Amino acid sequence: MLGGPVLVLNQNIKRESGHKVQTGNIGAAKTIADIIRTCLGPRAMLKMLLDPMGGIVMTNDGNAILREIQVQHPAAKSMIEISRTQDEEVGDGTTSVIILAGEMLAVAEQFLEQQMHPTVVISAYRQALEDMLNTLKDISTPVDVNDRDMMIKIINSAIDTKALSRWSDLACSIALDAVRTVEMDNNGRKEIDIKKYAKVEKVPGGIIEDSRVLSGVMVNKDVTHPRMRRLIQNPRIVLLDCSLEFKKGESQTDIEITREEDFTRILEMEEEYIQQICEDIIRVKPDLVFTEKGISDLAQHYLMKANITAIRRIRKTDNHRIARACGARIASRTDELRDDYVGTGAGLFEVKKIGDEYFTFVTECKDPKACTILLRGASKEILAEVERNMCVCVYLCYRRWSLICCCVCVCVCVHVLQEEEHNLTCVCVSLLQEV
């Protein structure tokens, strides 16, 4: 037709529809499920993968495995998204959900071969879902979160198939202590922010039994001056998010000097500014200063003479956790420092050398609402898997309701569905006989 649109298409594109596409989608989903099938159950095996950066991933976590797989098929990508959503919403069951989805599609394939419409199959699955949800509500049991023994049993049931199952008692205690540490009561509503206030620090070396929860914060930093104190009892802590050095121009700045005295005066002004901000800090009599920015050599000199320990360039998240642990307030300028900005809740400050690196510990806090989970292990790969298992344990501590056991739940649901199927079959037969 003259004047009509002209479509230029890639000749390599192939369009498919109908039963062939349905069979291909089911085959792709079954392939994804078969990849991680050996990672399910008490006899689960770890898989060793090579990530795009050349690192090694050893895990039996379904989401961690599928995250490293690159697929092009849309159905396979949808299966991987199921695992990712399961990990974000529940924290566990990433392998089970993929295998169940693959099996459900495999069972549906025979109905499609019998020329049954997909919407009919989906409606049957939805009816089965409603029956299973009602069954799970009936067999679920309310849990008293203050009952430590019961909580540990629940957490322990989730890591029996993990690599950390050998140290299950230690892992359960660490997870429960971490959640109870960061728990806050806000007008009768409990708030638990694990991602922000419970940081996991992985330090290679040692054994897994050395892992523990710190009643405070640990950061991978050392003091700025070698003569500053590395051990302080009951420190007074000041937190800053401003730099303790002379401010430089935001853009390229040129200064024309005609006299030598002007250059000397400029240097004196810089020293006076550094001295002033140090005096603002010294005025509140702190023992320890944390800042998110840099500290100049001259500022280090003034602070060291005042017997104040300084640590620079810590992360903003670490600064917030220290503030919550010791009761300090973060100051944006040194001239606004007052006594109520100083944190006095920490009982001990010390700097330790672990391996080849220095770590700063602010521990023995009176009422810490932030903590650090310190994990030790033989290598980085082992620590990465321990962290994944620990995240499962921590997430389970949020739950107010618990099911008896995953296997028991599946068996009960299967039994209920079989009974529903039998009742439905009897009704259909009786109707046919009446007709």
Side-chain angles (χ1 to χ4, degrees):
M1 180 184 295
L2 295 177
V6 178
L7 301 178
V8 180
L9 300 177
N10 188 351
Q11 295 181 355
N12 296 325
I13 292 179
K14 192 167 55 173
R15 181 179 179 183
E16 297 178 347
S17 61
H19 181 70
K20 185 178 180 180
V21 176
Q22 296 171 351
T23 305
N25 291 340
I26 293 174
K30 289 165 63 177
T31 302
I32 294 296
D34 290 339
I35 292 175
I36 60 173
R37 192 178 297 274
T38 58
C39 298
L40 181 68
R43 289 178 171 267
M45 295 185 293
L46 298 179
K47 289 190 181 295
M48 183 180 292
L49 308 175
L50 195 66
D51 62 18
M53 302 301 295
I56 298 174
V57 179
M58 291 191 304
T59 181
N60 64 349
D61 182 72
N63 182 54
I65 295 171
L66 297 178
R67 197 169 49 207
E68 304 295 334
I69 296 177
Q70 296 180 359
V71 296
Q72 298 297 329
H73 199 283
K77 287 184 177 181
S78 299
M79 292 287 286
I80 295 176
E81 285 297 313
I82 292 174
S83 178
R84 183 186 62 82
T85 304
Q86 178 77 8
D87 184 65
E88 291 179 356
E89 296 295 329
V90 182
D92 193 19
T94 55
T95 305
S96 304
V97 71
I98 294 296
I99 296 176
L100 283 174
E103 289 299 319
M104 291 172 69
L105 289 174
V107 171
E109 187 174 10
Q110 59 179 332
F111 298 109
L112 297 177
E113 292 176 352
Q114 298 172 5
Q115 304 300 320
M116 188 177 292
H117 199 275
T119 56
V120 177
V121 180
I122 293 172
S123 63
Y125 275 135
R126 287 176 177 168
Q127 181 61 45
L129 175 62
E130 293 181 3
D131 295 337
M132 286 189 292
L133 290 176
N134 294 330
T135 302
L136 294 178
K137 288 180 181 178
D138 293 338
I139 67 174
S140 61
T141 306
V143 175
D144 183 9
V145 293
N146 297 319
D147 188 351
R148 184 179 181 87
D149 294 335
M150 178 60 71
M151 291 296 295
I152 288 179
K153 289 180 181 178
I154 295 171
I155 302 169
N156 196 11
S157 66
I159 61 172
D160 281 341
T161 61
K162 306 292 184 181
L164 204 59
S165 59
R166 179 180 172 185
W167 301 274
S168 58
D169 293 338
L170 175 64
C172 296
S173 299
I174 289 176
L176 191 57
D177 292 340
V179 171
R180 288 184 172 177
T181 299
V182 301
E183 182 181 8
M184 286 192 67
D185 193 356
N186 188 5
N187 296 327
R189 180 174 177 269
K190 291 186 177 181
E191 295 182 356
I192 302 174
D193 195 341
I194 290 293
K195 291 185 177 180
K196 189 178 288 186
Y197 298 114
K199 186 178 180 181
V200 177
E201 287 284 353
K202 298 172 289 185
V203 182
I207 56 178
I208 295 180
E209 285 84 352
D210 295 335
S211 303
R212 64 186 188 277
V213 177
L214 303 176
S215 59
V217 180
M218 181 188 82
V219 293
N220 188 6
K221 292 291 180 180
D222 190 13
V223 295
T224 57
H225 196 282
R227 292 177 58 186
M228 290 180 176
R229 291 181 292 173
R230 283 188 165 88
L231 179 63
I232 304 175
Q233 298 283 346
N234 300 317
R236 291 171 56 86
I237 301 176
V238 167
L239 303 178
L240 303 172
D241 64 356
C242 59
S243 60
L244 302 183
E245 52 191 0
F246 189 76
K247 293 182 179 179
K248 300 177 176 60
E250 295 291 336
S251 58
Q252 186 176 358
T253 305
D254 296 330
I255 301 176
E256 293 184 3
I257 299 175
T258 56
R259 296 185 303 170
E260 183 181 354
E261 293 81 3
D262 294 338
F263 181 70
T264 304
R265 179 56 187 157
I266 291 175
L267 296 179
E268 290 177 353
M269 290 174 63
E270 290 185 2
E271 293 181 1
E272 290 172 0
Y273 174 77
I274 297 298
Q275 185 176 5
Q276 179 61 42
I277 60 177
C278 289
E279 288 177 355
D280 292 337
I281 296 173
I282 296 171
R283 187 180 67 251
V284 295
K285 299 178 181 179
D287 299 309
L288 183 60
V289 174
F290 288 93
T291 179
E292 300 174 18
K293 307 296 176 57
I295 302 177
S296 65
D297 294 339
L298 184 59
Q300 294 178 34
H301 170 72
Y302 286 128
L303 295 176
M304 188 268 297
K305 286 181 62 177
N307 200 23
I308 298 174
T309 299
I311 295 176
R312 61 186 172 186
R313 294 192 177 93
I314 65 171
R315 297 177 180 176
K316 183 176 289 290
T317 55
D318 291 334
N319 213 12
H320 284 286
R321 290 191 300 116
I322 295 172
R324 186 155 166 165
C326 68
R329 295 173 60 186
I330 301 175
S332 301
R333 296 167 56 92
T334 56
D335 56 4
E336 66 183 22
L337 284 173
R338 299 187 302 272
D339 288 338
D340 58 341
Y341 277 74
V342 180
T344 58
L348 178 65
F349 162 79
E350 60 180 337
V351 178
K352 293 181 180 180
K353 185 178 181 182
I354 304 176
D356 296 331
E357 297 183 358
Y358 287 92
F359 293 89
T360 296
F361 293 84
V362 180
T363 55
E364 298 182 9
C365 299
K366 298 176 183 177
D367 186 22
K369 293 303 178 183
C371 66
T372 299
I373 301 176
L374 177 59
L375 299 180
R376 305 299 308 276
S379 64
K380 293 181 180 179
E381 291 78 17
I382 293 176
L383 284 175
E385 178 64 9
V386 171
E387 181 185 14
R388 283 188 286 267
N389 297 164
M390 191 63 66
C391 289
V392 173
C393 299
V394 170
Y395 200 93
L396 285 176
C397 296
Y398 289 92
R399 295 304 174 206
R400 300 282 179 175
W401 292 77
S402 173
L403 298 175
I404 302 171
C405 175
C406 182
C407 298
V408 175
C409 294
V410 172
C411 294
V412 172
C413 289
V414 169
H415 179 68
V416 171
L417 292 178
Q418 288 176 344
E419 289 184 350
E420 292 290 335
E421 179 187 10
H422 178 69
N423 295 335
L424 184 61
T425 304
C426 293
V427 171
C428 293
V429 170
S430 61
L431 288 175
L432 288 174
Q433 290 176 349
E434 292 178 1
V435 172

